[in-house]
Amino acid sequence: MNKKMNNNPKEPKEKEAPKNDSHEGNKNHSVHEKRENSEQDIKDLSEEVARKVKESEENIKEEKGKTEKTKDSKEEYVSVKKSEIDKLRQDLEEAKDRGLRALAELENYRNRTNRIMSEDRKYASMDLARSILPIWDDMGRALEAAEKEIHPEAVVDGIRMMHKQFLDILKKNQVEEIEALHQPFDPNIHESIAQFPNAEYPPNTVIIVSRPGFKLHDRVVRPAQVVLAAPAPKKQEEKE
């Protein structure tokens, strides 16, 4: 029995040896596998990091391109706006220059017009003076004839001719005599200086023109001085 008891323990010892070798092998295989897995993980991680870095670089490059494009667009926009502003300033200066020229021309025109109008007013009576001068000559000749007392009828005819000539000159210059004799009294063109009873004409009828009146176109130069008819007094018999 002692032998059996001594031999039994040896058997497990001989059997345990292969178990330890297999365990060590499995352990080594596990370590190797873990190492490979770690290396693969590291490789995968490196590739992932590289991919992300590449994507980041591409994103940065794209953003940089957009920024440069935006910058170029802004510079182009600013350049266009600056050219437009310069063009507007040039147009404004040209408009100011044209305005100043127009004002200067208007001022010159106003001065020239005022000068012409002043000269026209100053010499407006030139034609009238030229028309009257022949009458002055005829009056001189009539006075010479009257002083010599030769042919008084010729003097009267000369004065009558001068009177007609003077009226013609006035009419030529749109100055006409106001018609008054035997016309109803009109305070706009007549000036009453007296009234006389008169049975031939209705009351307020002009029966005498003491001084002729004249008008220029439709404006009165001077009114005609006139004497008007007044109602005639009734006879004494009619009263009774």
Side-chain angles (χ1 to χ4, degrees):
M1 290 189 59
N2 291 334
K3 289 181 180 180
K4 289 181 181 179
M5 293 178 64
N6 291 332
N7 291 330
N8 290 332
K10 289 180 181 179
E11 291 178 359
K13 287 181 181 179
E14 292 177 359
K15 292 179 181 179
E16 287 175 3
K19 288 182 181 179
N20 290 335
D21 293 338
S22 176
H23 179 70
E24 289 293 332
N26 292 332
K27 185 177 182 181
N28 291 333
H29 178 72
S30 177
V31 170
H32 181 70
E33 186 177 357
K34 288 181 179 180
R35 184 183 297 170
E36 289 181 353
N37 291 335
S38 298
E39 290 177 355
Q40 185 64 34
D41 292 339
I42 292 171
K43 184 178 179 182
D44 293 341
L45 181 61
S46 299
E47 290 177 356
E48 180 68 19
V49 171
R51 185 179 63 79
K52 290 185 177 181
V53 169
K54 186 177 180 181
E55 289 179 356
S56 299
E57 289 178 350
E58 289 178 355
N59 291 333
I60 292 172
K61 187 176 181 181
E62 185 178 355
E63 291 296 328
K64 184 177 180 181
K66 290 181 179 179
T67 303
E68 291 178 353
K69 186 176 180 180
T70 304
K71 184 178 179 181
D72 294 340
S73 299
K74 287 183 178 179
E75 290 178 354
E76 183 179 358
Y77 177 79
V78 171
S79 177
V80 171
K81 284 297 181 182
K82 186 176 183 300
S83 63
E84 290 180 357
I85 291 172
D86 293 339
K87 181 66 169 56
L88 290 174
R89 286 177 178 173
Q90 183 179 358
D91 293 342
L92 180 60
E93 292 298 326
E94 292 178 356
K96 286 182 178 179
D97 184 65
R98 289 195 299 271
L100 291 175
R101 290 177 181 272
L103 288 175
E105 291 178 0
L106 179 61
E107 186 65 24
N108 291 335
Y109 174 77
R110 185 182 294 123
N111 293 335
R112 184 168 59 254
T113 303
N114 290 336
R115 184 174 63 253
I116 293 173
M117 291 177 64
S118 177
E119 290 179 355
D120 288 344
R121 287 193 297 268
K122 183 178 181 180
Y123 300 106
S125 302
M126 181 68 72
D127 292 339
L128 182 61
R130 288 171 178 168
S131 300
I132 293 175
L133 287 176
I135 300 177
W136 172 264
D137 297 335
D138 292 341
M139 290 178 66
R141 286 190 288 269
L143 287 173
E144 290 179 358
E147 288 175 354
K148 294 178 181 179
E149 295 183 356
I150 301 175
H151 305 294
E153 296 83 2
V155 174
V156 173
D157 291 339
I159 294 174
R160 185 178 291 110
M161 183 182 65
M162 285 187 293
H163 184 267
K164 182 179 181 302
Q165 186 179 3
F166 189 78
L167 289 177
D168 291 340
I169 291 171
L170 291 177
K171 189 174 182 179
K172 183 180 178 181
N173 289 273
Q174 288 76 44
V175 178
E176 296 182 357
E177 184 177 359
I178 295 174
E179 187 178 1
L181 188 62
H182 301 157
Q183 298 295 321
F185 175 73
D186 185 351
N188 295 316
I189 57 176
H190 300 151
E191 179 183 353
S192 175
I193 59 174
Q195 285 185 338
F196 290 145
N198 190 297
E200 184 179 357
Y201 296 98
N204 292 327
T205 300
V206 176
I207 56 176
I208 298 174
V209 178
S210 61
R211 188 189 67 182
F214 293 88
K215 61 181 180 179
L216 176 63
H217 296 291
D218 59 347
R219 182 171 296 182
V220 176
V221 177
R222 74 176 187 185
Q225 289 185 349
V226 296
V227 176
L228 302 179
K234 293 182 180 181
K235 295 182 179 180
Q236 188 68 23
E237 295 177 357
E238 293 177 354
K239 289 182 182 180
E240 295 178 355

